[in-house]
Amino acid sequence: MTLPYHTPLPPETRDAHGISPEWRYALASKVQFFELDALNHVNNTVYLRWFESFRLSYVMDYGISDFGPTAPRLVVRSLSARFHKEMHLGDDYIVAGRTTSFRNTSFIMEYALFSNGLAATGDAVMVLLSREGDGRHPLTEAQKKALIERDGAKADAG
Amino acid sequence: MTLPYHTPLPPETRDAHGISPEWRYALASKVQFFELDALNHVNNTVYLRWFESFRLSYVMDYGISDFGPTAPRLVVRSLSARFHKEMHLGDDYIVAGRTTSFRNTSFIMEYALFSNGLAATGDAVMVLLSREGDGRHPLTEAQKKALIERDGAKADAG
Amino acid sequence: MTLPYHTPLPPETRDAHGISPEWRYALASKVQFFELDALNHVNNTVYLRWFESFRLSYVMDYGISDFGPTAPRLVVRSLSARFHKEMHLGDDYIVAGRTTSFRNTSFIMEYALFSNGLAATGDAVMVLLSREGDGRHPLTEAQKKALIERDGAKADAG
Amino acid sequence: MTLPYHTPLPPETRDAHGISPEWRYALASKVQFFELDALNHVNNTVYLRWFESFRLSYVMDYGISDFGPTAPRLVVRSLSARFHKEMHLGDDYIVAGRTTSFRNTSFIMEYALFSNGLAATGDAVMVLLSREGDGRHPLTEAQKKALIERDGAKADAG
């Protein structure tokens, strides 16, 4: 089965790779040479770059930022990751992600990485900052609605 | 037109992107966030990582190395690159490459990067080293034949 | 005051930078251009590379691995990080780290990053694997002793 | 002899490391784990990041850019590199660089990398662009004077 890279995967492709239906947005790619470290496997920090690349695409697709000159700055407040298996040159992989909850100016994402089974999991607390200065930038009602309707995200107090 | 990423492009796709027929091997991908630098464009060293990623795939496809435990070590002796235009987040691109000449234990590759026109060019002198020690590792006759027949590479004296 | 880079900092230098005494091992460096992302600040994944670079030096200094051909493979099982402030080109920083607990074939490290105050914190669960195959590699008594005596690490059951 | 990292080296330190007097500006650092690739040596693209990091410091020191919001954008038009020996984890190295010639809106730099002898050489054609738009940004007379007096750079026609 052909795996289309860098393109949101349709439900039947996610199904065929064992990705459960609560992951609505998923992107595939392939391990490149520069992602290996001296142990000849994918370096742990590379998984976090993949989650970041995924996040950029997700955030544009969900209408949270267009990364234009007036868009809010989206920064990582905290993150965690767990590595379930080693990955090697040329391995295909799929990153899936979703927002589990949000507050007025932040949201929490979960990630799962699949490569012939679950290879890693992670999460990140994302904060929206104003383009200028250090102030916070609120999510709009339309953005909150997208997170609730597409991902089943919960509104947190605060 | 859909562009299949990380997969050798067929002649008609190369044609459709204005890649002339002397480039027989070409791979597409898409600019990721971590490839941008503080000037918000693709950093110059990233083009060289793309040429390297391309080279790994090329070298396996042409039967020059399988990167297994007994394969020769393939190292860069020298390289050059010229940057024709800036690239940005999400840009699609195609790396094309070929071997123009070879000696007994080395070969010279040329690269061209296309992204709505020519974005960069480059070349590299590649050397084959024995897996153990510093000795050189010769190209086999079958490998030389592949370089001549597929790329029109010339045999250099030396 | 001059800050010596890439060299274990003496207690008086750690003191002078507000690093409390439970951090016994600390290394300084300076933000480089390639560590910035398109937001013109240090990318979140770069902090994790700094923790990794620190860890390599720490592990050699504490006698846990010499990274030679027969050394165990040291891999990250899980990690987390929290980002307290943004960092920019040319900023000096100090990474401090210690082992808080260990089991027979794994240990837990904490990291703190200082750059005019606390810039980030993190932790990692490290696992020792045999050089060949997937088996675990045990810590020696001398290694456990170093972790206890130098860092005050606790032995966990398991 | 102690080697101060990330700090312009005084003439006697450059002498002691065999760096000839025509290199007036040189910076030292140490190979980090993330700079190794799967061949367990420093990846070829990393040398180019080192040249870039050097260049940033050089350009500020010579008064060509302060990288502030109104500074010109400094981009690489072309580059080349030649690799003389392999480098490994923990190796100390010194990057030296100078400008050999300049035109009205561009200049050519040469680099030499020393690590127990000459490890690599390179050059780059640098172009100054206006902060906004694609126009060129001219070198000032004071900047040209610094390049002539400190590096012996030649003014090229054009």
Short mmCIF file of all heavy atoms in Angstrom, two decimals, chain A residues 37 39 41 43-45 48-49 52 55 67 73-84 86 88 125 129 131 134, chain C residues 37 39 41 43-45 48-49 52 55 67 73-84 86 88 125 129 131 134:
data_model
loop_
_atom_site.label_atom_id
_atom_site.label_comp_id
_atom_site.label_asym_id
_atom_site.label_seq_id
_atom_site.Cartn_x
_atom_site.Cartn_y
_atom_site.Cartn_z
N ASP A 37 21.71 9.40 14.56
CA ASP A 37 22.88 9.85 15.32
C ASP A 37 23.96 8.77 15.29
O ASP A 37 23.87 7.82 14.51
CB ASP A 37 22.48 10.29 16.74
CG ASP A 37 21.96 9.15 17.60
OD1 ASP A 37 22.24 7.96 17.31
OD2 ASP A 37 21.27 9.44 18.59
N LEU A 39 24.62 6.41 17.09
CA LEU A 39 24.16 5.05 17.41
C LEU A 39 23.43 4.42 16.22
O LEU A 39 22.89 3.32 16.33
CB LEU A 39 23.26 5.05 18.65
CG LEU A 39 23.93 5.49 19.96
CD1 LEU A 39 22.92 5.49 21.11
CD2 LEU A 39 25.11 4.59 20.30
N HIS A 41 20.66 5.13 14.91
CA HIS A 41 19.19 5.13 14.99
C HIS A 41 18.72 6.59 15.05
O HIS A 41 19.52 7.50 15.20
CB HIS A 41 18.69 4.33 16.19
CG HIS A 41 19.06 4.88 17.53
ND1 HIS A 41 18.76 4.26 18.71
CD2 HIS A 41 19.73 6.01 17.89
CE1 HIS A 41 19.22 4.99 19.72
NE2 HIS A 41 19.79 6.04 19.25
N ASN A 43 17.71 9.91 16.40
CA ASN A 43 17.99 10.56 17.68
C ASN A 43 16.68 10.98 18.36
O ASN A 43 15.73 11.37 17.70
CB ASN A 43 18.88 11.80 17.42
CG ASN A 43 19.30 12.44 18.73
OD1 ASN A 43 18.71 13.43 19.14
ND2 ASN A 43 20.28 11.89 19.40
N ASN A 44 16.71 10.93 19.69
CA ASN A 44 15.48 11.23 20.44
C ASN A 44 14.94 12.64 20.15
O ASN A 44 13.73 12.85 20.12
CB ASN A 44 15.69 11.02 21.94
CG ASN A 44 16.69 11.99 22.54
OD1 ASN A 44 16.30 13.07 22.99
ND2 ASN A 44 17.98 11.67 22.56
N THR A 45 15.83 13.61 19.91
CA THR A 45 15.34 14.98 19.68
C THR A 45 14.63 15.10 18.33
O THR A 45 13.84 16.02 18.13
CB THR A 45 16.48 16.01 19.75
OG1 THR A 45 17.37 15.79 18.66
CG2 THR A 45 17.25 15.90 21.04
N LEU A 48 10.91 14.90 18.41
CA LEU A 48 10.29 16.16 18.84
C LEU A 48 10.21 17.16 17.70
O LEU A 48 9.28 17.96 17.62
CB LEU A 48 11.04 16.72 20.04
CG LEU A 48 11.00 15.77 21.24
CD1 LEU A 48 12.01 16.18 22.29
CD2 LEU A 48 9.61 15.69 21.83
N ARG A 49 11.19 17.11 16.78
CA ARG A 49 11.08 17.94 15.57
C ARG A 49 9.92 17.45 14.71
O ARG A 49 9.24 18.26 14.06
CB ARG A 49 12.37 17.89 14.77
CG ARG A 49 13.54 18.56 15.46
CD ARG A 49 14.61 18.99 14.49
NE ARG A 49 15.10 17.89 13.69
CZ ARG A 49 16.34 17.77 13.25
NH1 ARG A 49 17.24 18.72 13.55
NH2 ARG A 49 16.72 16.76 12.52
N GLU A 52 6.85 18.72 16.13
CA GLU A 52 6.76 20.14 15.81
C GLU A 52 6.31 20.37 14.37
O GLU A 52 5.44 21.21 14.11
CB GLU A 52 8.11 20.79 16.04
CG GLU A 52 8.14 22.27 15.75
CD GLU A 52 9.52 22.84 15.99
OE1 GLU A 52 10.45 22.56 15.20
OE2 GLU A 52 9.69 23.57 16.98
N ARG A 55 2.79 19.71 14.15
CA ARG A 55 2.01 20.75 14.83
C ARG A 55 1.79 21.96 13.92
O ARG A 55 0.72 22.55 13.89
CB ARG A 55 2.74 21.17 16.10
CG ARG A 55 1.99 22.09 16.99
CD ARG A 55 2.64 22.12 18.37
NE ARG A 55 4.03 22.53 18.34
CZ ARG A 55 5.04 21.86 18.89
NH1 ARG A 55 4.85 20.72 19.51
NH2 ARG A 55 6.27 22.33 18.82
N PHE A 67 0.66 31.72 10.45
CA PHE A 67 2.08 32.07 10.50
C PHE A 67 2.41 33.29 9.66
O PHE A 67 3.54 33.49 9.26
CB PHE A 67 2.95 30.87 10.13
CG PHE A 67 2.79 29.76 11.12
CD1 PHE A 67 1.94 28.71 10.86
CD2 PHE A 67 3.45 29.82 12.33
CE1 PHE A 67 1.75 27.71 11.81
CE2 PHE A 67 3.26 28.82 13.28
CZ PHE A 67 2.42 27.76 13.02
N ARG A 73 2.32 34.37 18.13
CA ARG A 73 3.48 33.49 18.24
C ARG A 73 3.06 32.28 19.08
O ARG A 73 2.50 32.44 20.16
CB ARG A 73 4.65 34.19 18.91
CG ARG A 73 5.12 35.40 18.12
CD ARG A 73 6.14 36.23 18.88
NE ARG A 73 7.36 35.48 19.12
CZ ARG A 73 7.89 35.25 20.32
NH1 ARG A 73 7.32 35.72 21.41
NH2 ARG A 73 8.99 34.56 20.43
N LEU A 74 3.33 31.11 18.54
CA LEU A 74 2.92 29.87 19.18
C LEU A 74 4.18 29.24 19.78
O LEU A 74 5.10 28.88 19.05
CB LEU A 74 2.34 28.98 18.08
CG LEU A 74 1.60 27.72 18.48
CD1 LEU A 74 0.39 28.04 19.34
CD2 LEU A 74 1.16 26.98 17.22
N VAL A 75 4.23 29.15 21.11
CA VAL A 75 5.45 28.62 21.74
C VAL A 75 5.12 27.42 22.63
O VAL A 75 4.00 27.28 23.11
CB VAL A 75 6.20 29.71 22.56
CG1 VAL A 75 6.58 30.89 21.67
CG2 VAL A 75 5.38 30.18 23.75
N VAL A 76 6.14 26.60 22.83
CA VAL A 76 6.00 25.41 23.67
C VAL A 76 6.33 25.80 25.11
O VAL A 76 7.40 26.31 25.39
CB VAL A 76 6.97 24.31 23.22
CG1 VAL A 76 6.79 23.06 24.09
CG2 VAL A 76 6.78 23.98 21.75
N ARG A 77 5.37 25.56 26.01
CA ARG A 77 5.63 25.82 27.43
C ARG A 77 6.32 24.61 28.07
O ARG A 77 7.27 24.73 28.84
CB ARG A 77 4.30 26.12 28.14
CG ARG A 77 4.35 26.26 29.65
CD ARG A 77 5.38 27.30 30.11
NE ARG A 77 5.38 28.50 29.34
CZ ARG A 77 4.76 29.62 29.65
NH1 ARG A 77 4.06 29.68 30.75
NH2 ARG A 77 4.84 30.68 28.87
N SER A 78 5.84 23.42 27.75
CA SER A 78 6.45 22.20 28.27
C SER A 78 6.11 21.06 27.33
O SER A 78 5.20 21.17 26.49
CB SER A 78 5.94 21.90 29.68
OG SER A 78 4.55 21.67 29.64
N LEU A 79 6.88 19.98 27.43
CA LEU A 79 6.64 18.82 26.57
C LEU A 79 7.13 17.57 27.27
O LEU A 79 7.93 17.63 28.21
CB LEU A 79 7.34 18.99 25.21
CG LEU A 79 8.86 19.15 25.20
CD1 LEU A 79 9.61 17.83 25.40
CD2 LEU A 79 9.27 19.76 23.87
N SER A 80 6.65 16.44 26.83
CA SER A 80 7.23 15.17 27.26
C SER A 80 7.16 14.19 26.10
O SER A 80 6.39 14.39 25.14
CB SER A 80 6.51 14.61 28.48
OG SER A 80 5.29 14.03 28.11
N ALA A 81 7.98 13.17 26.16
CA ALA A 81 7.98 12.14 25.11
C ALA A 81 8.41 10.82 25.71
O ALA A 81 9.18 10.78 26.69
CB ALA A 81 8.94 12.54 23.98
N ARG A 82 7.91 9.75 25.14
CA ARG A 82 8.27 8.40 25.55
C ARG A 82 8.59 7.60 24.29
O ARG A 82 7.82 7.64 23.32
CB ARG A 82 7.12 7.76 26.32
CG ARG A 82 7.48 6.42 26.92
CD ARG A 82 6.44 5.94 27.93
NE ARG A 82 6.87 4.66 28.48
CZ ARG A 82 7.73 4.52 29.49
NH1 ARG A 82 8.19 5.58 30.12
NH2 ARG A 82 8.11 3.31 29.89
N PHE A 83 9.74 6.91 24.31
CA PHE A 83 10.24 6.24 23.11
C PHE A 83 10.01 4.74 23.25
O PHE A 83 10.53 4.12 24.17
CB PHE A 83 11.71 6.59 22.90
CG PHE A 83 11.92 8.08 22.90
CD1 PHE A 83 12.39 8.74 24.03
CD2 PHE A 83 11.57 8.84 21.79
CE1 PHE A 83 12.53 10.12 24.05
CE2 PHE A 83 11.71 10.22 21.80
CZ PHE A 83 12.19 10.87 22.93
N HIS A 84 9.23 4.16 22.34
CA HIS A 84 8.84 2.76 22.47
C HIS A 84 9.70 1.82 21.63
O HIS A 84 9.83 0.66 21.95
CB HIS A 84 7.36 2.60 22.12
CG HIS A 84 6.46 3.33 23.05
ND1 HIS A 84 6.03 2.80 24.23
CD2 HIS A 84 5.94 4.58 22.99
CE1 HIS A 84 5.26 3.67 24.86
NE2 HIS A 84 5.19 4.77 24.13
N GLU A 86 13.20 1.71 18.57
CA GLU A 86 14.21 2.41 17.78
C GLU A 86 13.77 2.48 16.33
O GLU A 86 13.11 1.58 15.81
CB GLU A 86 15.55 1.66 17.88
CG GLU A 86 16.11 1.67 19.30
CD GLU A 86 17.52 1.12 19.37
OE1 GLU A 86 18.47 1.87 19.05
OE2 GLU A 86 17.69 -0.05 19.75
N HIS A 88 15.08 3.50 12.17
CA HIS A 88 16.29 3.44 11.33
C HIS A 88 16.07 4.09 9.96
O HIS A 88 14.94 4.40 9.58
CB HIS A 88 16.71 1.97 11.19
CG HIS A 88 17.05 1.35 12.51
ND1 HIS A 88 16.14 0.59 13.21
CD2 HIS A 88 18.15 1.45 13.29
CE1 HIS A 88 16.67 0.21 14.36
NE2 HIS A 88 17.90 0.72 14.44
N VAL A 125 2.35 21.40 25.97
CA VAL A 125 1.49 22.53 26.34
C VAL A 125 1.91 23.71 25.47
O VAL A 125 3.05 24.16 25.52
CB VAL A 125 1.63 22.88 27.83
CG1 VAL A 125 0.78 24.10 28.17
CG2 VAL A 125 1.24 21.68 28.69
N LEU A 129 1.16 33.68 22.15
CA LEU A 129 1.64 34.99 22.59
C LEU A 129 1.32 36.03 21.51
O LEU A 129 1.33 35.72 20.32
CB LEU A 129 3.15 34.97 22.82
CG LEU A 129 3.68 33.99 23.87
CD1 LEU A 129 5.20 34.09 23.95
CD2 LEU A 129 3.07 34.27 25.24
N ARG A 131 2.02 38.89 18.91
CA ARG A 131 3.16 39.06 17.99
C ARG A 131 4.20 40.00 18.59
O ARG A 131 5.39 39.74 18.55
CB ARG A 131 2.63 39.57 16.65
CG ARG A 131 3.64 39.94 15.59
CD ARG A 131 4.61 38.86 15.20
NE ARG A 131 4.00 37.59 14.85
CZ ARG A 131 4.69 36.58 14.32
NH1 ARG A 131 5.98 36.70 14.07
NH2 ARG A 131 4.10 35.43 14.07
N ASP A 134 5.09 40.52 25.30
CA ASP A 134 5.00 39.23 25.97
C ASP A 134 3.58 38.85 26.34
O ASP A 134 3.35 37.84 26.99
CB ASP A 134 5.85 39.26 27.26
CG ASP A 134 7.33 39.33 26.94
OD1 ASP A 134 7.72 38.84 25.87
OD2 ASP A 134 8.08 39.89 27.76
N ASP C 37 15.31 29.31 15.58
CA ASP C 37 14.35 28.93 14.56
C ASP C 37 13.73 30.19 13.95
O ASP C 37 14.22 31.30 14.17
CB ASP C 37 13.31 27.95 15.12
CG ASP C 37 12.42 28.54 16.19
OD1 ASP C 37 12.28 29.78 16.28
OD2 ASP C 37 11.83 27.75 16.96
N LEU C 39 11.26 31.85 14.63
CA LEU C 39 10.78 32.85 15.60
C LEU C 39 11.94 33.65 16.18
O LEU C 39 11.74 34.46 17.09
CB LEU C 39 9.96 32.19 16.71
CG LEU C 39 8.66 31.50 16.27
CD1 LEU C 39 7.97 30.84 17.47
CD2 LEU C 39 7.71 32.50 15.61
N HIS C 41 14.27 32.77 18.13
CA HIS C 41 14.70 32.35 19.47
C HIS C 41 15.18 30.90 19.40
O HIS C 41 14.98 30.22 18.38
CB HIS C 41 13.57 32.53 20.50
CG HIS C 41 12.37 31.66 20.28
ND1 HIS C 41 11.25 31.73 21.06
CD2 HIS C 41 12.11 30.68 19.35
CE1 HIS C 41 10.36 30.83 20.65
NE2 HIS C 41 10.86 30.19 19.62
N ASN C 43 15.16 27.18 19.45
CA ASN C 43 14.09 26.22 19.28
C ASN C 43 14.01 25.26 20.46
O ASN C 43 15.02 24.89 21.04
CB ASN C 43 14.32 25.43 17.98
CG ASN C 43 13.16 24.49 17.68
OD1 ASN C 43 13.22 23.31 17.97
ND2 ASN C 43 12.08 25.03 17.14
N ASN C 44 12.79 24.85 20.81
CA ASN C 44 12.62 23.98 21.98
C ASN C 44 13.41 22.68 21.89
O ASN C 44 13.90 22.19 22.90
CB ASN C 44 11.12 23.72 22.22
CG ASN C 44 10.49 22.89 21.12
OD1 ASN C 44 10.49 21.67 21.20
ND2 ASN C 44 9.96 23.52 20.08
N THR C 45 13.57 22.12 20.71
CA THR C 45 14.30 20.85 20.60
C THR C 45 15.80 21.03 20.87
O THR C 45 16.48 20.07 21.21
CB THR C 45 14.13 20.20 19.21
OG1 THR C 45 14.75 21.04 18.24
CG2 THR C 45 12.67 20.02 18.86
N LEU C 48 16.95 20.23 24.32
CA LEU C 48 17.09 18.79 24.54
C LEU C 48 18.42 18.27 23.98
O LEU C 48 19.01 17.34 24.52
CB LEU C 48 15.90 18.05 23.95
CG LEU C 48 14.59 18.48 24.63
CD1 LEU C 48 13.39 18.01 23.83
CD2 LEU C 48 14.53 17.97 26.06
N ARG C 49 18.90 18.88 22.91
CA ARG C 49 20.25 18.55 22.41
C ARG C 49 21.29 19.00 23.41
O ARG C 49 22.32 18.33 23.58
CB ARG C 49 20.51 19.21 21.05
CG ARG C 49 19.65 18.65 19.94
CD ARG C 49 20.27 18.88 18.58
NE ARG C 49 20.54 20.29 18.32
CZ ARG C 49 20.48 20.86 17.13
NH1 ARG C 49 20.15 20.13 16.07
NH2 ARG C 49 20.75 22.12 16.98
N GLU C 52 21.38 16.55 26.09
CA GLU C 52 22.07 15.36 25.59
C GLU C 52 23.59 15.55 25.56
O GLU C 52 24.34 14.67 26.00
CB GLU C 52 21.56 15.03 24.19
CG GLU C 52 22.21 13.82 23.56
CD GLU C 52 21.67 13.57 22.17
OE1 GLU C 52 21.96 14.37 21.25
OE2 GLU C 52 20.95 12.59 21.99
N ARG C 55 24.82 15.31 28.94
CA ARG C 55 24.74 13.94 29.43
C ARG C 55 25.95 13.12 28.97
O ARG C 55 26.50 12.32 29.72
CB ARG C 55 23.44 13.31 28.92
CG ARG C 55 23.13 11.97 29.51
CD ARG C 55 21.67 11.63 29.23
NE ARG C 55 21.34 11.64 27.83
CZ ARG C 55 20.32 12.30 27.29
NH1 ARG C 55 19.53 13.04 28.02
NH2 ARG C 55 20.09 12.23 26.00
N PHE C 67 31.96 5.28 25.70
CA PHE C 67 31.52 5.31 24.30
C PHE C 67 32.47 4.59 23.36
O PHE C 67 32.49 4.85 22.17
CB PHE C 67 31.25 6.75 23.84
CG PHE C 67 30.14 7.37 24.62
CD1 PHE C 67 30.40 8.18 25.71
CD2 PHE C 67 28.82 7.07 24.31
CE1 PHE C 67 29.36 8.71 26.46
CE2 PHE C 67 27.79 7.59 25.07
CZ PHE C 67 28.05 8.41 26.14
N ARG C 73 25.12 0.61 25.11
CA ARG C 73 24.40 1.66 24.40
C ARG C 73 23.49 2.36 25.41
O ARG C 73 22.74 1.70 26.12
CB ARG C 73 23.59 1.09 23.25
CG ARG C 73 24.46 0.40 22.22
CD ARG C 73 23.63 -0.36 21.19
NE ARG C 73 22.82 0.56 20.42
CZ ARG C 73 21.50 0.49 20.31
NH1 ARG C 73 20.82 -0.47 20.91
NH2 ARG C 73 20.84 1.37 19.61
N LEU C 74 23.59 3.66 25.44
CA LEU C 74 22.83 4.46 26.41
C LEU C 74 21.70 5.12 25.66
O LEU C 74 21.95 5.97 24.79
CB LEU C 74 23.80 5.49 26.99
CG LEU C 74 23.37 6.29 28.20
CD1 LEU C 74 23.10 5.39 29.39
CD2 LEU C 74 24.47 7.29 28.55
N VAL C 75 20.46 4.75 25.96
CA VAL C 75 19.34 5.31 25.20
C VAL C 75 18.33 5.98 26.13
O VAL C 75 18.24 5.66 27.31
CB VAL C 75 18.63 4.23 24.33
CG1 VAL C 75 19.61 3.60 23.35
CG2 VAL C 75 17.98 3.17 25.19
N VAL C 76 17.60 6.93 25.56
CA VAL C 76 16.58 7.66 26.31
C VAL C 76 15.26 6.88 26.23
O VAL C 76 14.77 6.60 25.14
CB VAL C 76 16.36 9.07 25.72
CG1 VAL C 76 15.32 9.83 26.52
CG2 VAL C 76 17.67 9.83 25.65
N ARG C 77 14.70 6.54 27.38
CA ARG C 77 13.40 5.87 27.40
C ARG C 77 12.29 6.91 27.37
O ARG C 77 11.30 6.78 26.66
CB ARG C 77 13.32 5.00 28.69
CG ARG C 77 11.98 4.36 28.97
CD ARG C 77 11.45 3.54 27.79
NE ARG C 77 12.44 2.72 27.15
CZ ARG C 77 12.66 1.43 27.39
NH1 ARG C 77 11.91 0.81 28.26
NH2 ARG C 77 13.58 0.76 26.73
N SER C 78 12.43 7.97 28.15
CA SER C 78 11.43 9.03 28.16
C SER C 78 12.11 10.31 28.63
O SER C 78 13.21 10.27 29.22
CB SER C 78 10.26 8.69 29.07
OG SER C 78 10.71 8.56 30.40
N LEU C 79 11.48 11.44 28.34
CA LEU C 79 12.03 12.74 28.77
C LEU C 79 10.90 13.73 28.93
O LEU C 79 9.79 13.55 28.41
CB LEU C 79 13.06 13.25 27.75
CG LEU C 79 12.61 13.49 26.30
CD1 LEU C 79 11.83 14.79 26.15
CD2 LEU C 79 13.83 13.53 25.40
N SER C 80 11.19 14.78 29.67
CA SER C 80 10.28 15.92 29.70
C SER C 80 11.10 17.19 29.83
O SER C 80 12.27 17.15 30.24
CB SER C 80 9.27 15.81 30.84
OG SER C 80 9.88 16.15 32.06
N ALA C 81 10.49 18.30 29.46
CA ALA C 81 11.18 19.59 29.57
C ALA C 81 10.14 20.68 29.79
O ALA C 81 8.99 20.57 29.34
CB ALA C 81 11.96 19.89 28.30
N ARG C 82 10.55 21.71 30.50
CA ARG C 82 9.70 22.88 30.73
C ARG C 82 10.54 24.12 30.42
O ARG C 82 11.68 24.24 30.87
CB ARG C 82 9.22 22.90 32.19
CG ARG C 82 8.23 23.98 32.48
CD ARG C 82 7.52 23.79 33.81
NE ARG C 82 6.55 24.84 34.00
CZ ARG C 82 5.31 24.83 33.50
NH1 ARG C 82 4.89 23.78 32.83
NH2 ARG C 82 4.51 25.86 33.67
N PHE C 83 9.96 25.03 29.64
CA PHE C 83 10.69 26.18 29.13
C PHE C 83 10.26 27.43 29.90
O PHE C 83 9.08 27.79 29.88
CB PHE C 83 10.46 26.32 27.63
CG PHE C 83 10.78 25.03 26.91
CD1 PHE C 83 9.77 24.16 26.53
CD2 PHE C 83 12.10 24.66 26.69
CE1 PHE C 83 10.07 22.96 25.91
CE2 PHE C 83 12.41 23.46 26.07
CZ PHE C 83 11.39 22.60 25.69
N HIS C 84 11.20 28.06 30.58
CA HIS C 84 10.85 29.17 31.46
C HIS C 84 11.07 30.53 30.83
O HIS C 84 10.43 31.50 31.19
CB HIS C 84 11.64 29.07 32.77
CG HIS C 84 11.30 27.84 33.56
ND1 HIS C 84 10.24 27.79 34.41
CD2 HIS C 84 11.87 26.62 33.58
CE1 HIS C 84 10.17 26.58 34.95
NE2 HIS C 84 11.14 25.84 34.47
N GLU C 86 12.63 32.64 26.96
CA GLU C 86 13.17 32.56 25.62
C GLU C 86 14.66 32.88 25.63
O GLU C 86 15.12 33.69 26.42
CB GLU C 86 12.43 33.52 24.69
CG GLU C 86 10.96 33.16 24.52
CD GLU C 86 10.27 34.00 23.46
OE1 GLU C 86 10.46 33.72 22.27
OE2 GLU C 86 9.56 34.95 23.84
N HIS C 88 18.23 33.79 23.08
CA HIS C 88 18.55 34.44 21.81
C HIS C 88 20.03 34.28 21.44
O HIS C 88 20.84 33.84 22.26
CB HIS C 88 18.16 35.91 21.89
CG HIS C 88 16.69 36.08 22.14
ND1 HIS C 88 16.18 36.28 23.40
CD2 HIS C 88 15.62 36.02 21.30
CE1 HIS C 88 14.85 36.35 23.33
NE2 HIS C 88 14.49 36.20 22.08
N VAL C 125 14.72 9.51 31.58
CA VAL C 125 14.98 8.15 32.04
C VAL C 125 15.92 7.50 31.03
O VAL C 125 15.58 7.38 29.85
CB VAL C 125 13.67 7.34 32.17
CG1 VAL C 125 13.97 5.91 32.58
CG2 VAL C 125 12.72 8.02 33.15
N LEU C 129 21.72 -0.48 27.38
CA LEU C 129 21.51 -1.69 26.58
C LEU C 129 22.85 -2.32 26.23
O LEU C 129 23.85 -1.61 26.05
CB LEU C 129 20.77 -1.36 25.28
CG LEU C 129 19.40 -0.71 25.40
CD1 LEU C 129 18.83 -0.44 24.01
CD2 LEU C 129 18.45 -1.59 26.20
N ARG C 131 25.69 -3.79 23.95
CA ARG C 131 26.17 -3.33 22.65
C ARG C 131 25.52 -4.14 21.52
O ARG C 131 25.10 -3.59 20.51
CB ARG C 131 27.71 -3.45 22.62
CG ARG C 131 28.39 -3.17 21.31
CD ARG C 131 28.14 -1.81 20.74
NE ARG C 131 28.35 -0.69 21.66
CZ ARG C 131 28.34 0.59 21.29
NH1 ARG C 131 28.16 0.91 20.01
NH2 ARG C 131 28.49 1.54 22.17
N ASP C 134 19.30 -6.75 22.17
CA ASP C 134 18.39 -5.85 22.87
C ASP C 134 18.45 -6.01 24.38
O ASP C 134 17.66 -5.41 25.11
CB ASP C 134 16.95 -6.11 22.41
CG ASP C 134 16.75 -5.68 20.97
OD1 ASP C 134 17.46 -4.75 20.53
OD2 ASP C 134 15.90 -6.27 20.29
#
